[in-house]
Amino acid sequence: MIGEYNTQREAIILKEYGRNVQKLVNYIRTIPDKEKRTKMATTLIELIKQLAPVVKEAHENPQRMWDDLYIIADFNLDIDNPYTTPDRTILFKKPRKMEYPQNDVRFKHYGKNIERLVVEAIKKEDPQEREEATIYLGKLMKTFYSNWNKETLDDSVIVKDIALLSKGKLTLNLDKVREDNLFEKLYREKKKLRPEGNPRDNRDNRNRGNRPFNKNRHQHRRRDQ
């Protein structure tokens, strides 16, 4: 028997289901009894759920699989559909336009979240809490800028940018920022202090009390015994 070439076969309407599903749909269309057609279509749906990878979306939208049966059958399928029978016009519906966020970020090297944190800092009524929030903003902004440009940003620029983002509601004294290194503490807090003395001596002292089991030493003892 000579093999059948794909170019000689009927075109697959929905490739995600495969040719065999399309053949079964065509067979269901030939069944004279409507009740039996409906039963066979239901069985086919259950079979597809087990075999076809497309069924991952079936749990969220189970009607899609029934609509796809009608598409495969060229909308010539008379069964008792558990859902609204689709119309051929669904093939010509354009997908909804994807909406992209239109928020403009004033300083991209800081990111949009910094602007949100500025808004939250402005809401603080206590002067001390507002100042602490502003200082923390400066630390974050310096960190984000260094990650963006791999360079260190001068504190004067950060103080100015905070004032711009907050429309003058968040201000810091630049001399105090520089004198107390307020924006540098974010890095300093990450550093761990080493214990006093020689670190190597400390490691040696720890290892003396936890030496590994020495097999050779015990073997010598057995030989001496």
Side-chain angles (χ1 to χ4, degrees):
M1 181 178 178
I2 301 176
E4 186 180 12
Y5 292 98
N6 286 334
T7 54
Q8 298 173 335
R9 296 179 178 181
E10 180 186 11
I12 302 176
I13 298 175
L14 294 179
K15 294 183 180 180
E16 59 265 35
Y17 292 103
R19 187 176 299 278
N20 289 330
V21 171
Q22 183 164 311
K23 288 181 178 180
L24 289 172
V25 172
N26 292 335
Y27 169 73
I28 292 173
R29 292 169 56 189
T30 64
I31 299 175
D33 184 60
K34 183 176 181 179
E35 184 178 353
K36 189 175 181 180
R37 286 197 302 269
T38 302
K39 185 177 180 180
M40 290 290 292
T42 304
T43 303
L44 179 57
I45 290 290
E46 295 300 321
L47 180 63
I48 293 173
K49 288 180 180 180
Q50 299 179 23
L51 300 179
V54 73
V55 298
K56 292 181 180 180
E57 301 179 10
H59 298 287
E60 300 178 359
N61 185 17
Q63 183 178 352
R64 175 193 166 177
M65 299 185 67
W66 288 91
D67 291 348
D68 287 348
L69 287 188
Y70 280 90
I71 295 174
I72 295 173
D74 195 25
F75 297 91
N76 183 16
L77 183 64
D78 185 16
I79 58 174
D80 293 326
N81 190 346
Y83 302 96
T84 304
T85 302
D87 189 78
R88 187 183 294 271
T89 56
I90 65 173
L91 296 177
F92 306 101
K93 285 186 178 180
K94 294 182 179 180
R96 291 185 302 174
K97 185 179 180 181
M98 179 67 70
E99 297 293 336
Y100 290 94
Q102 300 297 327
N103 298 327
D104 295 329
V105 181
R106 185 165 188 175
F107 299 106
K108 293 183 179 181
H109 47 270
Y110 297 139
K112 186 64 181 178
N113 288 332
I114 286 293
E115 296 182 5
R116 296 190 179 102
L117 290 175
V118 168
V119 174
E120 295 299 320
I122 294 174
K123 294 179 181 178
K124 295 185 180 298
E125 298 179 357
D126 183 81
Q128 184 176 354
E129 291 184 358
R130 177 178 289 195
E131 183 181 11
E132 291 175 354
T134 306
I135 293 172
Y136 187 71
L137 272 171
K139 295 178 182 180
L140 288 176
M141 291 165 70
K142 195 161 191 174
T143 303
F144 293 161
Y145 182 87
S146 62
N147 292 336
W148 179 277
N149 287 328
K150 304 299 181 184
E151 297 177 358
T152 303
L153 188 64
D154 189 78
D155 294 341
S156 62
V157 178
I158 297 177
V159 171
K160 180 181 177 181
D161 290 345
I162 290 175
L164 288 173
L165 290 171
S166 64
K167 296 180 180 180
K169 296 179 181 179
L170 299 177
T171 58
L172 288 172
N173 185 287
L174 179 59
D175 294 334
K176 182 180 179 181
V177 171
R178 287 175 171 171
E179 183 178 353
D180 297 339
N181 292 324
L182 296 180
F183 295 159
E184 301 296 331
K185 290 182 180 179
L186 185 63
Y187 304 98
R188 292 184 177 184
E189 290 171 357
K190 294 181 180 180
K191 295 182 180 179
K192 296 182 180 179
L193 298 176
R194 293 183 178 180
E196 296 181 359
N198 191 339
R200 183 175 297 176
D201 294 339
N202 294 331
R203 289 197 298 270
D204 293 340
N205 292 333
R206 289 194 299 268
N207 292 336
R208 286 170 187 168
N210 298 314
R211 288 186 175 180
F213 184 80
N214 192 336
K215 296 182 180 180
N216 295 331
R217 183 180 60 185
H218 289 275
Q219 290 176 357
H220 289 312
R221 287 184 179 178
R222 292 194 188 98
R223 293 174 183 174
D224 295 341
Q225 292 175 357

